[in-house]
Amino acid sequence: MKLKEALKIRQFDSDLHEAVLNVIFTASTLKCSFQRRLKPFGLTEEQYNVLRILRGSHPQLMKVKDITSRMVDHSSNTTRIIDKLETKLLVVRSTDPGNRRQALVGILPDGLALLKQLDELVQLPATPSLCPQEARQLSDLLDKLRETPF
């Protein structure tokens, strides 16, 4: 469905206006789809993101501030997210021996197993409709769009 139809708009102010609204609308659509896929597993997007980050550093532990810097949404409350993952026995937290004020976090085997189970389920729904070349072009254009703040 075209954006004009979805938003019931006759005309946009400019092509850039349409493109920006299209990115926002599409991001919202993908986010909702992603949330629906995670819900049966009792995970939020942010929790999933933290687990993926920790899997990438496994078996090394990570400082909370380093996890935050890699998150898709930097405004997330990383400490609260880690608390919930710890309650679910998916991550472990310990004190940094070099700086007792900092926590180190690692993913547990159950967290790794859950991510493995989710790997296929969380593939973006747009993936089949884009060939690899189109996906690369889209990523490049989105990178370019973020370079120029509005």
Side-chain angles (χ1 to χ4, degrees):
M1 173 184 295
K2 294 285 187 181
L3 185 63
K4 283 182 182 179
E5 296 168 18
L7 299 181
K8 296 174 177 61
I9 294 176
R10 285 189 209 153
Q11 188 172 340
F12 294 98
D13 294 341
S14 66
D15 289 340
L16 182 58
H17 180 236
E18 181 178 4
V20 170
L21 284 178
N22 212 336
V23 168
I24 293 168
F25 184 79
T26 304
S28 177
T29 302
L30 292 172
K31 183 176 181 134
C32 288
S33 173
F34 192 59
Q35 289 169 336
R36 279 194 307 275
R37 292 165 192 246
L38 291 176
K39 190 173 183 173
F41 298 90
L43 286 181
T44 65
E45 292 173 76
E46 294 82 4
Q47 291 169 350
Y48 174 75
N49 190 206
V50 168
L51 288 174
R52 282 187 56 252
I53 292 166
L54 291 171
R55 176 174 62 181
S57 72
H58 184 71
Q60 300 296 320
L61 302 179
M62 289 186 74
K63 294 177 184 175
V64 174
K65 68 176 186 163
D66 294 334
I67 295 169
T68 302
S69 72
R70 294 182 185 187
M71 291 189 65
V72 172
D73 181 1
H74 295 294
S75 66
S76 296
N77 184 340
T78 310
T79 301
R80 181 184 52 77
I81 295 166
I82 292 168
D83 289 343
K84 293 191 180 211
L85 291 171
E86 195 173 24
T87 300
K88 295 176 184 189
L89 304 175
L90 300 173
V91 302
V92 64
R93 184 181 358 211
S94 62
T95 304
D96 183 350
N99 182 350
R100 294 176 47 149
R101 291 176 289 169
Q102 289 190 9
L104 296 174
V105 184
I107 191 166
L108 291 171
D110 283 353
L112 291 169
L114 179 58
L115 282 178
K116 187 172 185 173
Q117 190 178 5
L118 287 169
D119 281 341
E120 284 189 33
L121 282 175
V122 298
Q123 292 298 314
L124 295 175
T127 304
S129 62
L130 297 176
C131 71
Q133 181 182 1
E134 291 170 325
R136 175 77 271 139
Q137 182 181 17
L138 176 61
S139 288
D140 291 343
L141 289 170
L142 292 171
D143 288 343
K144 185 175 181 178
L145 185 62
R146 282 192 317 278
E147 288 173 7
T148 309
F150 290 90

